[in-house]
Amino acid sequence: MRNLIVLSACCFVIATAGAKDPPASPAPASAAAKPAAAAPAPAPSKAEAPAPRRLTAAEQRVIDEQAELDLQARIAARIAEMRANQQQRAAAAAKAARQAAAAKKKKQAVAAKPPPPANGTHWAYDGEFGPANWSKINAKWSQCGQGGRQSPIDIRDGMKVDLEKLAFDYKPSSFSVIDNGHTVQVNVAGGNYLTVQNRSYELVQFHFHRPSEERINGKSFEMVVHLVHRDVEGRLAVLAVLLERGAGHNMIQTVWNNLPLEKHDTVQPSVVLDIAEMLPERRDYYTYMGSLTTPPCTEGVLWLVMKQPMQASPQQMAIFSRLYPFNARPVQAHSGRVIKESN
């Protein structure tokens, strides 16, 4: 009975709704068990939307003022940022300038500081260690580049005067031969003297150069022998004997017979050497004040250059040439140098 009443009520509701609404497709059976959802309210049309409220003049002024303040704030922030960047760049530039100035000052100080004194010992007759650089190799050799009375020279326009005769007291003596890396040097035992200008000089050693370091009126010779003497006060006198090709020389051959087999070795022969054989028959000579021709180029050396050359055979000269093809210092300027020669 209850079901019949409910069914009747449902039919009444449907019939009532059907009088007003168009027919609808039947709903599923499950939908009948659910309550009907409320239909959404229709959206108002544009004509029905409320019109926006117009801002008052006071409100618009507040908005404009706020916008202007915001713009000024952004401009001020940008200007502050630009100023900060500019200050950073200026600080970096100033720092770089200070560093560059400090580096330049340090470089100038290093350039102004004198180099440490040279103390080399190796020298040669050409190349990097040649005469042009002797004064740079060792500070004690400064006269090689700065001296005013350096030897050897081209002997020209000597003043012919009555020079005193050279007095020699040479005698057969023991000796030793050393190849010192620059020449063949013969060290002589004491007791051999040269007297000139009332002063006696003792022979210490003699050595050879090829070609001759001295020139006579522009002429160079095949070789020269330098006999180095020293007096009791340490002053030096060097006697130069020029050599030209000719007959063999007995004393030179004795030296060659006792040459060491290695450089810097020394040979002490059991024979004696007659130094007087090195002197020419005529004793005419040139004289001037000069220097040693090798480092340290000491000045204040009395030079005596014999006018008459001695002879050595081509074979004897070839022996020395094999050891030292060239070991001569270039001639030096001698402007104003006093040169005397015997009549």
Side-chain angles (χ1 to χ4, degrees):
M1 178 62 78
R2 181 179 299 175
N3 293 339
L4 180 61
I5 294 172
V6 170
L7 179 61
S8 299
C10 291
C11 293
F12 176 78
V13 172
I14 295 170
T16 304
K20 296 182 181 179
D21 298 326
S25 60
S30 61
K34 294 181 181 179
S45 63
K46 291 183 180 180
E48 296 176 355
R53 186 177 66 83
R54 294 175 64 86
L55 296 175
T56 66
E59 290 174 335
Q60 186 64 45
R61 185 167 56 253
V62 170
I63 292 174
D64 292 343
E65 290 177 353
Q66 185 61 45
E68 184 177 356
L69 290 174
D70 292 343
L71 178 60
Q72 290 177 353
R74 290 195 298 272
I75 294 173
R78 180 56 179 162
I79 291 175
E81 181 182 359
M82 292 174 64
R83 286 178 176 173
N85 292 337
Q86 186 178 13
Q87 290 176 352
Q88 290 178 356
R89 288 194 297 269
K95 182 179 180 181
R98 289 194 300 270
Q99 291 176 342
K104 182 179 180 181
K105 185 176 181 181
K106 182 178 180 181
K107 185 177 180 180
Q108 290 174 342
V110 172
K113 184 179 179 181
N119 57 359
T121 58
H122 177 68
W123 58 271
Y125 282 100
D126 56 7
E128 179 183 358
F129 297 95
N133 294 317
W134 286 353
S135 61
K136 303 173 186 177
I137 296 173
N138 192 310
K140 295 180 180 179
W141 302 348
S142 60
Q143 284 190 317
C144 296
Q146 303 171 4
R149 294 189 298 175
Q150 288 294 295
S151 297
I153 62 173
D154 184 0
I155 300 174
R156 296 174 179 267
D157 304 323
M159 297 184 297
K160 292 189 176 183
V161 295
D162 293 330
L163 292 175
E164 65 175 291
K165 292 183 179 181
L166 301 177
F168 295 96
D169 184 13
Y170 287 173
K171 55 190 177 184
S173 305
S174 60
F175 66 101
S176 62
V177 183
I178 180 172
D179 182 344
N180 63 18
H182 301 291
T183 186
V184 174
Q185 177 175 311
V186 180
N187 298 323
V188 182
N192 297 278
Y193 291 94
L194 160 67
T195 301
V196 61
Q197 298 177 2
N198 297 321
R199 186 178 295 274
S200 291
Y201 298 86
E202 186 175 21
L203 179 63
V204 178
Q205 52 98 343
F206 64 87
H207 57 268
F208 302 84
H209 293 278
R210 182 179 186 276
S212 68
E213 293 189 306
E214 297 76 16
R215 294 182 185 176
I216 308 299
N217 294 318
K219 179 183 177 181
S220 180
F221 291 78
E222 188 84 12
M223 291 181 65
V224 67
V225 184
H226 286 168
L227 295 94
V228 182
H229 304 71
R230 179 183 291 111
D231 71 1
V232 293
E233 297 177 2
R235 286 180 286 195
L236 298 175
V238 179
L239 181 75
V241 180
L242 302 167
L243 295 178
E244 61 183 9
R245 289 176 179 249
H249 194 288
N250 183 62
M251 194 203 75
I252 292 177
Q253 188 60 47
T254 302
V255 173
W256 285 182
N257 291 343
N258 293 281
L259 285 174
L261 298 178
E262 297 285 346
K263 290 189 183 299
H264 307 292
D265 280 354
T266 301
V267 174
Q268 293 182 323
S270 58
V271 297
V272 295
L273 202 63
D274 189 356
I275 313 298
E277 292 182 359
M278 196 70 255
L279 300 175
E281 183 178 352
R282 291 191 295 108
R283 305 295 169 85
D284 296 338
Y285 63 98
Y286 304 93
T287 185
Y288 70 95
M289 293 300 297
S291 72
L292 295 179
T293 63
T294 60
C297 306
T298 306
E299 294 189 347
V301 176
L302 175 64
W303 277 88
L304 307 159
V305 181
M306 305 303 291
K307 286 187 174 183
Q308 181 182 3
M310 294 292 287
Q311 292 185 351
S313 69
Q315 293 79 11
Q316 290 174 333
M317 290 185 174
I319 290 175
F320 184 82
S321 179
R322 290 176 61 181
L323 297 173
Y324 296 100
F326 178 87
N327 69 334
R329 184 186 184 188
V331 295
Q332 310 299 303
H334 63 281
S335 178
R337 189 84 59 96
V338 175
I339 303 173
K340 294 181 179 181
E341 61 175 296
S342 55
N343 285 313

